[in-house]
Amino acid sequence: MAFINSVELDYPVDEVFKVIIRTAKRDFANFNPKDPIGTYTTKTAGNYGVKQAKVRVEITDYKLNELYQITTVRDKLMFVSTYRFEDLGDSKTRFTLEESDCTEGFFKAMNGMIQNFVFKKRIKNRFSFLVQGLENEILTYREKVEKAKPKAVSE
């Protein structure tokens, strides 16, 4: 079972990717932009629920300005989140998030049916929130770059 959400952004692909990677650098202490595959961290999942669990999050695929993939594992449960970046030209980017449940066995099929029925709207809302946050980070980054530029001397 996979959920795929996509949006066209009015920003160049390298800028969108850079903001995602800045976030990855905060999440993964040993992030190496030249070879990030295999970098992992341990987090607590379920912060908003009654049950909390430790999960391992690992970068499992990475291509500069094209792809960023993380895999989250807890016990026998495995979820893969793939972020794709497509350069559309004219400073536009198609940003796609695919979230897949890669858990093996009977519960995968049952879980997929339940997720599709119960969580579809929640996942779309979460994607919209992600895109909004991404756009805000891009604007903040642009402001910082603009402020850091030397001021032009008036004649």
Side-chain angles (χ1 to χ4, degrees):
M1 175 98 240
F3 290 99
I4 301 173
N5 289 290
S6 189
V7 67
E8 187 176 305
L9 301 171
D10 291 326
Y11 302 102
V13 70
D14 60 330
E15 200 170 13
V16 176
F17 192 81
K18 186 181 294 186
V19 168
I20 291 288
I21 297 310
R22 282 179 55 194
T23 303
K25 288 178 180 178
R26 287 191 298 247
D27 292 343
F28 296 93
N30 298 328
F31 186 87
N32 177 355
K34 293 179 183 174
D35 185 22
I37 295 174
T39 303
Y40 69 92
T41 188
T42 303
K43 293 183 167 192
T44 301
N47 289 335
Y48 307 109
V50 176
K51 293 185 178 182
Q52 296 182 347
K54 293 282 185 192
V55 296
R56 177 185 164 112
V57 183
E58 181 176 344
I59 299 173
T60 49
D61 204 353
Y62 177 92
K63 292 181 183 131
L64 183 65
N65 295 334
E66 292 179 29
L67 179 80
Y68 173 68
Q69 181 182 77
I70 57 173
T71 300
T72 305
V73 178
R74 188 192 111 222
D75 300 326
K76 294 182 180 180
L77 303 174
M78 183 167 70
F79 300 92
V80 178
S81 300
T82 305
Y83 302 82
R84 297 184 192 282
F85 307 83
E86 180 184 351
D87 185 356
L88 301 176
D90 295 329
S91 294
K92 293 185 183 290
T93 301
R94 180 177 328 284
F95 173 63
T96 304
L97 171 59
E98 179 178 345
E99 297 177 292
S100 304
D101 180 352
C102 298
T103 306
E104 297 293 326
F106 171 75
F107 290 107
K108 177 181 180 178
M110 284 296 289
N111 195 25
M113 290 186 329
I114 292 169
Q115 285 177 353
N116 196 29
F117 182 71
V118 177
F119 297 115
K120 194 171 194 173
K121 184 176 180 180
R122 184 182 294 177
I123 288 170
K124 285 189 182 287
N125 288 342
R126 194 176 72 204
F127 180 72
S128 294
F129 184 74
L130 170 67
V131 169
Q132 182 181 12
L134 179 60
E135 288 179 323
N136 289 340
E137 285 287 323
I138 290 170
L139 293 175
T140 300
Y141 175 75
R142 284 182 171 185
E143 287 174 10
K144 287 180 181 179
V145 168
E146 195 61 36
K147 286 180 182 177
K149 284 183 181 178
K151 301 290 182 211
V153 178
S154 316
E155 293 184 53

